[in-house]
Amino acid sequence: TVAGPNACPDESATVTVSVQAEPDAGEDSSLTVCSSDPAIDLFTILGGTPDTGGTWSPALPSGTGVFDPSTDNAGVYTYTVAPTAPCTNSDSATITITVEQAPDAGNDASVVICENDPSVDLFTILGGTPDVGGVWTPALNSGTGVFDPAQDAEGTYTYTLPATSICPEDTATVNVTIETPPFAGDDGNIALCSNDNTIDLFTLLGNNPDNGGTWSPALTSGTGVFDPSIDPQGTYTYTVAGAAVCADDTAEVFVQVEQAPFAGNDASELLCADSAAVDLFSLL
């Protein structure tokens, strides 16, 4: 404002000043996440009051500032806010990310084991790539993850890896089914006369064998019934097939057939008192 002289009025002019704030990328920060945690927007981790619209480097696969612990690498990520004229200096802040690997108990699985199979380590049944060092429940007789079908009960067994400082525990299950092995009985033998009645070879097997098996070589009856008048003597094998995983079981019956004596058929002959002597065998 300039004051006017004498009778002249004052004269004034104005200057409007705008101050452009410098870019603010916020304050440095750090973050430790579990590899199984959900994705997180790194912008929300910055301290202070950062400006929006900045860029992250190195670039994340999301194309934004969203960090996925399951796929993105741990490290230092820099957030940069470009200046707006007349400011010329950009501003940046960093976030140091540490990713703690979550425990991996593997994937659920199931297995069918024959009762007479050797012991099996349930850890080898789990799917995926499970970590070692977990605990099985309920406890097995071995005190480890080794399952003995002769001692341990079938059922569902859970493998648990404990939680870490920030990651929760992880579990996977193995469902174990025990199959009863087939039993063909104990071997037997019999001696028969060729004129004896037929006999079911199954009744000659010992120790309560399973029903439903097959005989080989095949008998004339098409079953396990042996007819000494037509079936040859020899060893006959009874086989009971396993179901899913158990092996077949067999037992043998040795049959000896003794040829029955044969006296021929009755006959009659009329002889004269002065006939020559005759061999009665020839008349049979």
Side-chain angles (χ1 to χ4, degrees):
T1 299
V2 179
N6 300 321
C8 293
D10 295 346
E11 181 70 15
S12 64
T14 61
V15 175
T16 301
V17 180
S18 297
V19 178
Q20 176 65 44
E22 289 188 307
D24 181 5
E27 298 173 1
D28 296 345
S29 183
S30 62
L31 176 69
T32 299
V33 294
C34 183
S35 62
S36 60
D37 283 345
I40 185 170
D41 188 346
L42 296 185
F43 184 82
T44 63
I45 308 301
L46 292 167
T49 54
D51 298 336
T52 60
T55 58
W56 288 94
S57 63
L60 291 160
S62 64
T64 65
V66 175
F67 182 91
D68 187 345
S70 66
T71 56
D72 296 333
N73 297 321
V76 177
Y77 289 84
T78 301
Y79 180 67
T80 301
V81 179
T84 302
C87 296
T88 58
N89 295 323
S90 61
D91 190 38
S92 63
T94 62
I95 295 182
T96 301
I97 300 179
T98 302
V99 178
E100 184 173 303
Q101 194 62 36
D104 181 7
N107 300 327
D108 296 344
S110 61
V111 64
V112 180
I113 303 174
C114 190
E115 191 176 34
N116 58 9
D117 278 347
S119 298
V120 60
D121 189 346
L122 295 185
F123 184 84
T124 64
I125 307 300
L126 291 167
T129 54
D131 299 334
V132 298
V135 176
W136 288 95
T137 54
L140 294 158
N141 281 285
S142 63
T144 65
V146 176
F147 182 94
D148 184 350
Q151 300 183 67
D152 297 316
E154 67 179 7
T156 299
Y157 290 83
T158 301
Y159 182 65
T160 302
L161 286 166
T164 66
S165 58
I166 62 170
C167 294
E169 71 176 18
D170 192 38
T171 63
T173 61
V174 175
N175 185 42
V176 182
T177 301
I178 298 179
E179 180 182 308
T180 301
F183 181 57
D186 297 333
D187 296 344
N189 62 80
I190 191 172
L192 299 172
C193 187
S194 62
N195 61 2
D196 280 345
N197 293 327
T198 59
I199 185 170
D200 188 347
L201 298 184
F202 184 82
T203 62
L204 303 177
L205 296 168
N207 204 12
N208 195 28
D210 296 340
N211 292 303
T214 57
W215 288 94
S216 61
L219 294 160
T220 305
S221 64
T223 64
V225 175
F226 183 92
D227 186 344
S229 68
I230 54 177
D231 293 319
Q233 71 173 16
T235 299
Y236 290 84
T237 302
Y238 181 66
T239 301
V240 180
V245 295
C246 291
D248 298 348
D249 191 40
T250 62
E252 295 179 342
V253 174
F254 176 70
V255 182
Q256 180 181 351
V257 179
E258 185 175 307
Q259 194 62 37
F262 179 53
N265 297 325
D266 295 343
S268 62
E269 183 73 10
L270 180 61
L271 298 174
C272 184
D274 61 356
S275 293
V278 61
D279 186 352
L280 297 183
F281 186 81
S282 66
L283 301 180
L284 293 168

